Amino acid sequence: MLQRIIIGFWFAILPFFGASQGINFESGSFQQAFNKAKKENKVLFVDGYADWCGPCKKMAKTVFKEEEVGAYFNEHFVSYKLDIEKGKGPELKEKYGITGLPGYVFVDANDEVVYRFSRAMPAEEFLEEGEKAVTSASDPNSLGRLAELYTKNQDDESLVLKYLNKLYEVKTEENYTDVLEHYLSIQKSVPDSSKAMVMLLANHHNQIIFGGEAERIINENIKTKPWKKYVRKDVREIYQKIPRKMVETTTTYAIEKRDSTFIDLAIKNAEIGGFKVNESQIKRTYTYYYLETGQGEKYKALVHDDIAKYVEAIDKEYLRSFYLDWLEKRADGDPEALRLIRPNSVRNSEEIYSMVKDYVTFVNSEAEKKEVLSWMEVAYYIRPNSAENTSNYANILYLIGDKNQAIELKEEAYYLGEKEGLKRLSTIKRDLDLMKTGEDILL
């Protein structure tokens, strides 16, 4: 908290000192950047990117240019942009284990990765990750360092246990289930029937999946005399909750591994966890799985008819008329209109956009684009003169329709947002700037 206050103080006085706008990336070679970081006793921050990576471009044009981000990163790191496909990029990508893009690694003076994370994110979250990197650089038992050691020494039982306990301590989800399962498969120190095993699984119960080693141990021991002795009081409450939590954890794990067999296991055991299983629930589960794993054709096959029927059932003339009348009455101070916060036009338009923004990422043919735009046209028609709704329509148009019209609508959305006092106005402006330069936008 104190650190954030200090950052806020320096951010406030930056204009008086002409401070930099955002992160200063070194212009020389990677080795020069590394040597500079070592000389200044700083960690080297490496931004792994590629020319075709949309999220990489967005981070470069937005988060990296924010003054608060620049103030923190320039103080604690020497920063370097690494094109993973050019020059020494492929070699360094392999050396430092950069996989997803954008991929961020933090390298200390010993040329060891002390922390890593990836994907585009808001500035506040990016700063939090940067703070974790600083902590990892100074702590030999930090999560970042243990994660790196784990990749090189997965047969070291004591190291894996230390890493597992650190995952529990910091309450992170990344790799947690895999580390738990791996530890259980290699460890020789904790008998399955022991109190220590009961407590270990109780501590890590949020990471237990169907089909894993932890489930096997529970199934084989839960009714034995030793476990009945140890699974008591508050521990019993934890074990009673495990089946339900396993359904959720196994579903999440299936997505992480892109393995539908775990979805099948979650559905098969859902009733054990207290979930109702019917065709509708199964469909929702697979819809979510296909969406999160990027399996577009399968996702579209499940949701297309539902979206089409939803849009078709809307009485757009009635909703538009009601909405315009509602706006007029609110402007006149009509009490009943003021009490109505969300007329159906708002709910329906938001629902259409919510469905479309997921669906549009998988659209390929011109026929599909035309249909998706027709859905959004309904959302736009039933809720006119709304900054948010106009902005949403502009987003979809920009992705699959007339880009010039999209820019005009985004400008209209910005104008409406100013009149409304919209809190998200900066986001509309940022996307508008990206559109005008032909850059990718993220929904």
Side-chain angles (χ1 to χ4, degrees):
M1 180 64 181
L2 178 60
Q3 191 175 48
R4 281 299 178 85
I5 293 173
I6 294 172
I7 290 173
F9 168 75
W10 282 108
F11 177 59
I13 67 171
L14 279 177
F16 297 99
F17 290 94
S20 63
Q21 302 287 317
I23 299 176
N24 293 326
F25 287 96
E26 297 300 309
S27 58
S29 68
F30 176 84
Q31 190 60 49
Q32 289 172 326
F34 178 82
N35 292 342
K36 180 179 179 180
K38 189 172 183 178
K39 182 179 179 180
E40 296 181 3
N41 195 29
K42 291 182 177 180
V43 171
L44 178 64
F45 163 57
V46 181
D47 167 34
Y49 75 97
D51 289 339
W52 47 262
C53 172
C56 300
K57 293 178 182 178
K58 181 155 189 177
M59 290 294 290
K61 288 182 174 291
T62 56
V63 173
F64 290 174
K65 290 188 176 181
E66 294 200 14
E67 291 188 16
E68 188 176 1
V69 172
Y72 188 82
F73 270 66
N74 296 337
E75 178 185 355
H76 292 90
F77 310 112
V78 169
S79 301
Y80 183 80
K81 292 186 74 66
L82 176 69
D83 187 330
I84 64 166
E85 295 183 338
K86 297 178 181 178
K88 287 195 172 183
E91 176 186 336
L92 294 169
K93 170 182 177 290
E94 181 70 22
K95 177 180 179 180
Y96 295 116
I98 299 173
T99 52
L101 293 182
Y104 311 117
V105 292
F106 296 80
V107 183
D108 69 5
N110 296 317
D111 200 18
E112 293 183 355
V113 175
V114 297
Y115 195 72
R116 73 173 70 241
F117 63 100
S118 62
R119 73 180 177 79
M121 62 189 66
E124 183 178 354
E125 188 176 348
F126 188 76
L127 272 173
E128 290 175 355
E129 293 291 351
E131 291 168 0
K132 292 176 184 177
V134 171
T135 300
S136 289
S138 59
D139 180 4
N141 291 317
S142 68
L143 179 64
R145 287 188 181 274
L146 289 174
E148 292 300 317
L149 289 171
Y150 173 73
T151 62
K152 303 170 185 175
N153 304 281
Q154 293 194 13
D155 292 329
D156 185 333
E157 181 181 331
S158 61
L159 170 65
V160 178
L161 180 59
K162 184 183 290 187
Y163 182 33
L164 180 63
N165 289 332
K166 177 62 72 169
L167 289 167
Y168 172 72
E169 176 188 328
V170 301
K171 303 187 187 312
T172 184
E173 299 295 318
E174 190 171 358
N175 298 325
Y176 196 162
T177 296
D178 280 337
V179 176
L180 171 62
E181 286 294 316
H182 182 66
Y183 174 72
L184 293 173
S185 70
I186 67 165
Q187 69 87 22
K188 307 293 183 184
S189 306
V190 186
D192 290 357
S193 60
S194 67
K195 181 178 181 180
M197 180 60 76
V198 169
M199 298 310 300
L200 185 147
L201 294 180
N203 286 339
H204 303 291
H205 70 278
N206 285 333
Q207 306 305 318
I208 298 175
I209 57 172
F210 293 111
E213 189 69 8
E215 185 197 20
R216 178 195 65 77
I217 294 172
I218 292 174
N219 288 342
E220 291 181 0
N221 291 274
I222 192 67
K223 294 182 179 180
T224 63
K225 287 185 178 180
W227 270 46
K228 286 182 178 179
K229 177 182 178 182
Y230 304 136
V231 181
R232 302 175 61 188
K233 298 182 180 179
D234 55 335
V235 179
R236 180 183 293 116
E237 291 182 9
I238 292 174
Y239 273 84
Q240 288 172 343
K241 296 176 182 177
I242 284 178
R244 184 178 184 85
K245 184 61 181 175
M246 284 174 69
V247 177
E248 301 171 10
T249 304
T250 305
T251 301
T252 302
Y253 190 75
I255 292 168
E256 291 175 358
K257 297 301 177 182
R258 295 178 59 86
D259 188 343
S260 62
T261 59
F262 287 102
I263 288 290
D264 295 335
L265 283 170
I267 292 172
K268 179 181 177 182
N269 292 280
E271 290 186 359
I272 299 174
F275 292 94
K276 291 183 66 176
V277 181
N278 53 43
E279 290 301 318
S280 179
Q281 182 60 47
I282 292 172
K283 180 179 178 179
R284 284 196 296 270
T285 302
Y286 272 101
T287 298
Y288 179 66
Y289 172 74
Y290 291 140
L291 173 63
E292 293 298 313
T293 56
Q295 298 186 56
E297 295 306 312
K298 292 181 178 179
Y299 172 78
K300 289 187 295 184
L302 284 179
V303 304
H304 173 273
D305 290 352
D306 292 336
I307 300 175
K309 289 177 182 177
Y310 182 88
V311 175
E312 186 179 351
I314 288 175
D315 185 342
K316 61 182 187 178
E317 296 300 338
Y318 170 77
L319 289 178
R320 178 184 174 88
S321 175
F322 184 93
Y323 182 78
L324 290 172
D325 184 57
W326 173 74
L327 288 178
E328 185 177 339
K329 288 180 178 178
R330 280 178 67 88
D332 292 338
D334 181 270
E336 187 175 344
L338 290 172
R339 282 195 296 270
L340 179 60
I341 304 300
R342 282 170 54 85
N344 286 339
S345 287
V346 175
R347 180 177 60 81
N348 291 149
S349 62
E350 289 180 348
E351 186 67 22
I352 293 172
Y353 182 63
S354 177
M355 294 185 288
V356 165
K357 74 176 183 177
D358 291 332
Y359 192 92
V360 74
T361 58
F362 305 120
V363 165
N364 299 307
S365 71
E366 291 302 316
E368 285 181 314
K369 293 178 182 179
K370 184 177 179 180
E371 183 175 38
V372 169
L373 287 174
S374 73
W375 295 338
M376 275 307 298
E377 285 165 6
V378 172
Y380 178 58
Y381 185 78
I382 64 176
R383 188 182 168 195
N385 303 325
S386 160
E388 181 184 46
N389 197 39
T390 302
S391 177
N392 290 344
Y393 184 38
N395 288 344
I396 303 303
L397 264 173
Y398 185 76
L399 292 178
I400 61 171
D402 186 327
K403 284 183 165 47
N404 291 327
Q405 184 185 358
I407 292 171
E408 291 177 5
L409 282 170
K410 187 64 81 166
E411 289 175 334
E412 180 185 338
Y414 185 76
Y415 169 73
L416 290 169
E418 285 184 314
K419 290 177 60 178
E420 296 173 11
L422 192 68
K423 292 181 179 180
R424 293 180 58 253
L425 192 59
S426 61
T427 302
I428 293 177
K429 180 62 166 62
R430 186 175 298 165
D431 283 343
L432 176 58
D433 292 340
L434 290 172
M435 287 178 175
K436 287 182 175 180
T437 55
E439 301 291 341
D440 293 330
I441 62 169
L442 298 178
L443 299 183

